[in-house]
Amino acid sequence: METVKRRRWPVVVGGIVAVLVIAIVVVLQILDAQLLKRVREELAVRSQQLGRPIELRDLSTRIFTGGGVRLEGLSVGAASGEELPLATIDRVEVRAKLWPILRSRGKDLQIDAVEIHAPAFNVVRLADGTTNLEHLQEKLAETPGEKPAEPEGETDLSAVRLSLFSLTDGKVRFVDRSAETAREVAINDLDVTIKDLRAGSPLVVDAAAAVLAEKQNFALSMTSTPLPKSLTPTPQTVTLQVQPIDLAPLAPFFPRDAGFIGGAFDADLTAKLGRAVPGGEGPTEVKGVLHALGLKFVGAEGGKALDVTVQTDLSADLLAGSLDLRRLEVDAGPARLTGKGRIANLASENPSVEQLEIVGQNLDPALLAQYYPPLKESLGGQVAGPIGLAITGSGSAAAAAIAFDLDLAKARVTVPEELTKAAGAPMRVSGTLRGSTRGVYGFDAKLDLAGVDLRPGEIVNKAAGERLEVVASGTLQPAASPKEATRIKVSSLKVDLLDMTLAGSASAALQGDATVFELALKSPRVDADRLLLTDEQIAANKPSGAPGTPAAPEVKDPDRFDGLRGAMAFEIDALRLEKMDLSQVVVKMKMVDDAITLDQLRANAYGGSITGDGTKIALGPAKRPFEANLSVKGFQLGDFLARNDPKKKALTGTFNGDVALKGVGYEVENLNESLAGLIRGSLANGAFLGLDVVESVSGPLAKALPGAARALKGDGLTQLGDELPFGLTIENGVAKLKKPIQIDRPQAALTFDGGIQLTGDLNLAGTIALSPDTISWMTAGKAKLKEPLPIPVTITGPAWKPKLGGLDLKPAVTVIAKQAAAGAAERLIGDRLGEKGKVVGDVISGGTDALEKEAAQKRAEAEQRAAEEKAKAEARAREEAAKAKQRAEEEAKRRLRGIFGG
């Protein structure tokens, strides 16, 4: 019995397993049904969005042999007005490793295979000339929903691994319903295989098809460099084999703007790109032939047909500096490029060049546009006329060199908003390339841009015919791998621009989107006022148009400097800038993207020195912020103010102090709105030239006094003393005194508060406290005060032509009159009554205490008026800033285009 019982357990276990299997099968069937239902519901939603039915016949999953799903009978039907479905697929199978997916919670997607069987696509050109694909694109554009945010940096898809993708027995039908008789052609027997899609491994793609034929006549194979994390492939090896195909039947399905009518195509080409592409390894080899014959396009001059032929047999190794150009013949209509020759070990100690010759003939985009009209529109008329190209070389050892020459003199060149060059004006790049050491090339280059007009760029004032020549020599070291950078070192750099010369050196390391550079230049003289365009010149150079023509558009790419990292140093013996003459200018700066920081700024100007270490400038976007930190010593302020117009010399004196400013933009309209900061220091031996404030007050006062009174006679200016400390806070383009300034003169004590606008308009309010001695002198001793007499005033208008206002002389006249009467009474009665005469005088004048009280009251009233005038000045400044805001925004769009172009 025990033996029988022991033998029952396999039956029991088998039964349990069978029950579990049956249960799993049942669960899977239920799961498949639920998944199919859910997928169909989702497809119904997509059908509504696309305006065409999307159907799925069946769906099944499996887990016993790994995760997998199988779709059968998938179709995307016809939209309203269409006859044929857009696509049908007989079967799609996906097999994946289920356990790694579950274990990693979807972060490790190991897919064994994706197989698509017998897909069929229908491309239909309808009676109105549109295609069903265009209708689909329109529907997709109308689909509601937020667009996904653009990812920052490279998308990481390294978790995805696909061993095999295959599409077999595919078909693409092209049906033309636009003609009277419907026409149909097809690409049959379409097979596509993709192997090993994963980061770090090369991708292999094979495609074959029967294009307008019964048998396969098209084959393409591609192997990529090791894939990055984004899984974006870079071709490393490409093989293309195409038997002659007449493309005319496919012409109706080409993009309409191409205007393609017909032509034939065949190819037998193999390219191993090697180190010629990022991440590639080994030499580059290209061999084969490609023909595109009898290409006809709508609008071709005289119905001309374009023949394009490429025949090549070459091998090259950029790192070693080797090229074996056995054959190079490229023909495109009248244009022709031919080459032959051999280069061995150019980047080494033993180079040789044998009969190298690469020559271009009839390289004229305008001629090619006669055959292919869309070329004219794509070039935008930027280049027209023959381009000369020649590369030659011979020699061995130290004499081996390659000469290159690109001559655009006969061509017309136009780069919108950058430059223009007329046909016949000089524009040329020439030089030589030679070996230096292993992996490094030496070069000499000359760039002649005398025929170029740079004024359309609205920065440099260089017209056609004026000198611009760049001569450089140095070394070039190509990157040996993607992890390394291509390095350029210019040991000698000379730039002749107009009548100025700059010389120095430069270097750069280029890797991906990043560029790290250094630049050092010296010049005996730079006239920036001559070099840079003014607003008036920009307006004069613009083509005439109707009134109200909009300003130039804002810079389109605010991120154009991203990836730039570098250091620049300039030494200029004499610099003319904004009508300022500076000498011994030294600038050392760093650049990170569009942000420039001045590590060192030294210059001499107007008898003093300027330092600006720590100043920061942003080159983009259009409204460029800046932060200036300047220290000034021995600066002759009067000469500075008179640099543009001697009549505007409002102040003299020696300024010593610090300037810390922040703002956006460099035009007055922008600064009126944004400038803020602090100016503090002192003015030694200063004078306000526009007005003698004390004299201007004493004159009206003398006329207002009863009886004879004398006015002070000055020299037409206000002396500010040996040392006048002051501080200005700047907000919204208005400079305000941090605290009232005090000026003590023998005749009076001056106190002022308020501010000045960037336009030079003053808004000052204060008091002129005439001294007792001054009052006594003016009244010939008739009035003797114990305290200074305050008189409120305002100073407005341009600083070089100010206006004195706010005079209220009545209180001062009353005080002086009473004091004069009291003095007279005291003298008259004092002779007879002695001490009682003084008492009578006090009664007449209101008493000494009364006089002092009244004087204090007048000072308080003057201070009140000063505060009111200050408030009015601030209100006027805000109003001016508001009015300038609109002008500032428009001006910024036009003027602030960046000193590096764009």
Side-chain angles (χ1 to χ4, degrees):
M1 288 293 297
E2 277 209 35
T3 303
V4 174
K5 288 182 180 180
R6 279 198 298 269
R7 290 178 180 176
R8 286 180 182 174
W9 70 266
V11 177
V12 174
V13 172
I16 294 173
V17 171
V19 170
L20 288 175
V21 170
I22 294 172
I24 291 174
V25 170
V26 171
V27 169
L28 288 178
Q29 289 179 343
I30 296 173
L31 177 62
D32 289 349
Q34 291 298 319
L35 285 176
L36 180 60
K37 179 181 178 181
R38 183 69 184 90
V39 170
R40 284 176 174 171
E41 290 174 353
E42 182 64 26
L43 293 180
V45 174
R46 298 299 178 187
S47 298
Q48 291 293 327
Q49 292 175 343
L50 299 181
R52 56 183 71 236
I54 305 176
E55 299 176 351
L56 177 63
R57 187 174 65 248
D58 194 17
L59 178 151
S60 59
T61 58
R62 65 180 183 184
I63 61 173
F64 289 114
T65 58
V69 63
R70 175 175 173 147
L71 307 176
E72 295 182 3
L74 179 63
S75 66
V76 180
S80 177
E82 300 176 1
E83 300 176 5
L84 300 174
L86 182 65
T88 61
I89 301 177
D90 180 60
R91 185 174 75 255
V92 178
E93 294 189 31
V94 180
R95 297 191 299 274
K97 290 182 170 60
L98 186 59
W99 175 242
I101 296 175
L102 296 175
R103 181 183 57 190
S104 65
R105 298 182 181 179
K107 295 182 180 180
D108 185 8
L109 301 178
Q110 297 186 29
I111 304 173
D112 289 329
V114 175
E115 298 177 358
I116 300 177
H117 300 274
F121 305 93
N122 295 309
V123 181
V124 183
R125 189 183 188 201
L126 305 174
D128 61 358
T130 62
T131 67
N132 57 348
L133 292 180
E134 291 174 340
H135 292 177
L136 178 63
Q137 290 174 343
E138 292 172 358
K139 277 292 184 181
L140 289 173
E142 296 173 0
T143 302
E146 296 183 0
K147 294 183 179 180
E150 291 291 334
E152 296 183 2
E154 186 181 55
T155 303
D156 189 352
L157 298 176
S158 56
V160 178
R161 285 182 279 179
L162 173 60
S163 298
L164 175 66
F165 170 89
S166 67
L167 183 153
T168 58
D169 199 20
K171 183 175 185 177
V172 182
R173 295 171 62 195
F174 296 89
V175 181
D176 186 4
R177 304 291 194 197
S178 64
E180 294 182 1
T181 303
R183 292 173 295 181
E184 179 179 331
V185 293
I187 297 176
N188 296 300
D189 199 10
L190 175 62
D191 298 324
V192 179
T193 302
I194 299 176
K195 297 178 181 178
D196 212 12
L197 175 66
R198 68 183 67 196
S201 296
L203 179 69
V204 180
V205 179
D206 291 301
V211 181
L212 312 184
E214 295 181 359
K215 296 182 179 180
Q216 289 185 337
N217 58 357
F218 175 94
L220 172 68
S221 296
M222 188 275 289
T223 302
S224 76
T225 59
L227 293 176
K229 292 181 179 180
S230 64
L231 301 185
T232 303
T234 299
Q236 167 91 344
T237 302
V238 178
T239 300
L240 178 64
Q241 292 181 327
V242 182
Q243 298 175 16
I245 299 173
D246 182 5
L247 299 176
L250 294 175
F253 304 95
F254 276 69
R256 278 179 287 181
D257 54 2
F260 181 68
I261 297 175
F265 178 76
D266 67 88
D268 185 2
L269 190 68
T270 300
K272 298 179 180 179
L273 302 178
R275 278 187 282 266
V277 296
E281 295 291 339
T284 300
E285 298 180 5
V286 183
K287 183 177 182 179
V289 62
L290 180 150
H291 297 114
L293 305 177
L295 303 178
K296 292 186 177 182
F297 299 89
V298 175
E301 187 175 302
K304 294 179 179 179
L306 178 64
D307 292 335
V308 178
T309 301
V310 178
Q311 299 181 75
T312 181
D313 184 4
L314 64 87
S315 58
D317 190 338
L318 187 63
L319 187 61
S322 298
L323 171 66
D324 190 357
L325 193 56
R326 296 176 287 275
R327 183 179 189 182
L328 176 62
E329 294 180 10
V330 180
D331 294 278
R336 181 174 175 79
L337 181 68
T338 60
K340 64 178 182 179
R342 186 172 180 272
I343 304 171
N345 303 315
L346 184 64
S348 71
E349 295 79 4
N350 298 301
S352 66
V353 182
E354 299 178 9
Q355 299 179 344
L356 177 67
E357 185 179 59
I358 301 175
V359 180
Q361 300 173 349
N362 295 322
L363 303 181
D364 186 349
L367 283 179
L368 287 177
Q370 296 177 6
Y371 296 82
Y372 180 53
L375 180 62
K376 184 177 181 180
E377 183 177 350
S378 63
L379 289 175
Q382 294 185 27
V383 182
I387 300 172
L389 173 64
I391 300 175
T392 59
S394 62
S396 59
I402 300 171
F404 57 88
D405 184 33
L406 178 64
D407 191 356
L408 296 168
K410 296 181 179 180
R412 174 176 55 81
V413 180
T414 300
V415 180
E417 300 181 5
E418 292 296 338
L419 61 87
T420 60
K421 189 197 78 71
M427 184 177 183
R428 189 171 194 170
V429 182
S430 59
T432 59
L433 185 70
R434 62 190 181 279
S436 178
T437 59
R438 180 166 180 79
V440 180
Y441 300 91
F443 69 86
D444 297 291
K446 180 179 179 181
L447 177 63
D448 182 2
L449 298 177
V452 173
D453 187 346
L454 295 178
R455 292 175 297 178
E458 299 187 0
I459 297 176
V460 180
N461 186 20
K462 183 220 172 289
E466 295 180 318
R467 185 174 66 159
L468 175 52
E469 184 177 276
V470 180
V471 179
S473 62
T475 58
L476 167 66
Q477 183 178 2
S481 70
K483 296 181 179 180
E484 300 181 18
T486 295
R487 301 185 182 278
I488 303 172
K489 184 177 181 180
V490 182
S491 55
S492 176
L493 176 64
K494 182 182 178 184
V495 180
D496 290 316
L497 177 57
L498 305 179
D499 59 347
M500 293 162 269
T501 298
L502 297 94
S505 61
S507 64
L510 296 79
Q511 186 174 11
D513 295 330
T515 300
V516 179
F517 68 93
E518 290 186 4
L519 175 65
L521 291 175
K522 295 182 179 181
S523 177
R525 184 182 65 86
V526 172
D527 187 348
D529 290 347
R530 167 68 181 90
L531 182 62
L532 303 178
L533 284 167
T534 64
D535 291 344
E536 293 77 11
Q537 290 170 326
I538 291 173
N541 289 330
K542 283 186 176 296
S544 59
T549 301
E554 187 174 327
V555 176
K556 296 180 181 179
D557 182 12
D559 301 319
R560 61 197 181 283
F561 298 112
D562 286 0
L564 285 176
R565 305 285 191 277
M568 293 175 278
F570 301 94
E571 294 184 21
I572 303 173
D573 294 339
L575 173 64
R576 178 78 169 171
L577 177 64
E578 294 289 340
K579 296 185 179 181
M580 294 189 297
D581 292 310
L582 293 85
S583 63
Q584 304 303 312
V585 179
V586 177
V587 180
K588 294 181 180 180
M589 63 179 70
K590 290 180 180 178
M591 182 176 184
V592 178
D593 297 332
D594 74 328
I596 290 180
T597 301
L598 303 186
D599 291 337
Q600 182 179 15
L601 170 60
R602 301 285 187 273
N604 296 329
Y606 299 105
S609 63
I610 303 173
T611 61
D613 301 356
T615 293
K616 298 179 180 179
I617 304 170
L619 301 177
K623 285 191 173 182
R624 297 170 286 184
F626 67 88
E627 181 179 334
N629 297 289
L630 304 176
S631 180
V632 180
K633 294 182 179 179
F635 197 74
Q636 297 304 311
L637 190 59
D639 295 339
F640 170 73
L641 295 175
R643 70 190 188 282
N644 292 321
D645 186 350
K647 296 180 180 179
K648 294 184 178 182
K649 187 176 182 180
L651 285 173
T652 62
T654 303
F655 173 64
N656 296 283
D658 299 316
V659 179
L661 300 175
K662 292 183 180 180
V664 176
Y666 308 128
E667 301 301 319
V668 172
E669 289 83 353
N670 294 333
L671 297 177
N672 273 335
E673 179 184 347
S674 66
L675 188 64
L678 175 66
I679 300 175
R680 60 184 178 185
S682 64
L683 188 64
N685 301 314
F688 179 43
L689 303 183
L691 188 68
D692 186 332
V693 178
V694 178
E695 176 188 0
S696 299
V697 170
S698 70
L701 178 61
K703 293 180 181 179
L705 289 173
R710 296 179 292 179
L712 297 172
K713 298 296 182 181
D715 50 8
L717 54 83
T718 301
Q719 296 290 344
L720 303 180
D722 295 338
E723 196 80 19
L724 177 63
F726 68 92
L728 291 171
T729 59
I730 302 175
E731 184 177 351
N732 296 327
V734 177
K736 305 174 186 177
L737 289 165
K738 286 192 69 177
K739 61 181 181 178
I741 57 173
Q742 304 286 339
I743 304 170
D744 292 322
R745 294 183 56 185
Q747 300 91 344
L750 287 65
T751 303
F752 285 103
D753 199 1
I756 179 172
Q757 296 179 343
L758 293 182
T759 56
D761 288 335
L762 298 171
N763 288 296
L764 298 175
T767 59
I768 309 299
L770 297 173
S771 68
D773 290 342
T774 299
I775 298 298
S776 177
W777 181 88
M778 291 179 64
T779 61
K782 296 176 182 178
K784 295 182 179 180
L785 305 182
K786 296 181 179 180
E787 296 289 338
L789 181 65
I791 300 175
V793 296
T794 62
I795 301 178
T796 59
W800 53 92
K801 195 176 181 181
K803 297 178 181 179
L804 186 72
L807 279 173
D808 185 2
L809 299 174
K810 186 176 180 180
V813 171
T814 300
V815 171
I816 294 175
K818 287 183 178 182
Q819 187 61 38
E826 182 178 346
R827 288 192 298 274
L828 178 62
I829 301 173
D831 294 339
R832 298 179 181 180
L833 303 179
E835 190 65 29
K836 294 181 179 180
K838 183 177 183 302
V839 175
V840 173
D842 290 342
V843 172
I844 295 174
S845 65
T848 304
D849 294 339
L851 181 62
E852 292 177 351
K853 181 178 180 181
E854 185 172 359
Q857 181 181 352
K858 298 306 178 184
R859 283 195 297 271
E861 291 174 354
E863 292 173 358
Q864 176 64 26
R865 291 191 188 94
E868 292 174 355
E869 291 296 332
K870 178 180 178 183
K872 291 178 181 179
E874 293 176 353
R876 284 195 295 271
R878 288 192 295 270
E879 183 179 354
E880 288 297 326
K883 290 180 180 179
K885 183 176 183 180
Q886 183 67 28
R887 298 194 304 271
E889 293 175 352
E890 295 176 357
E891 184 69 13
K893 293 179 180 179
R894 180 173 64 84
R895 283 286 293 150
L896 304 181
R897 301 180 55 80
I899 62 175
F900 292 96

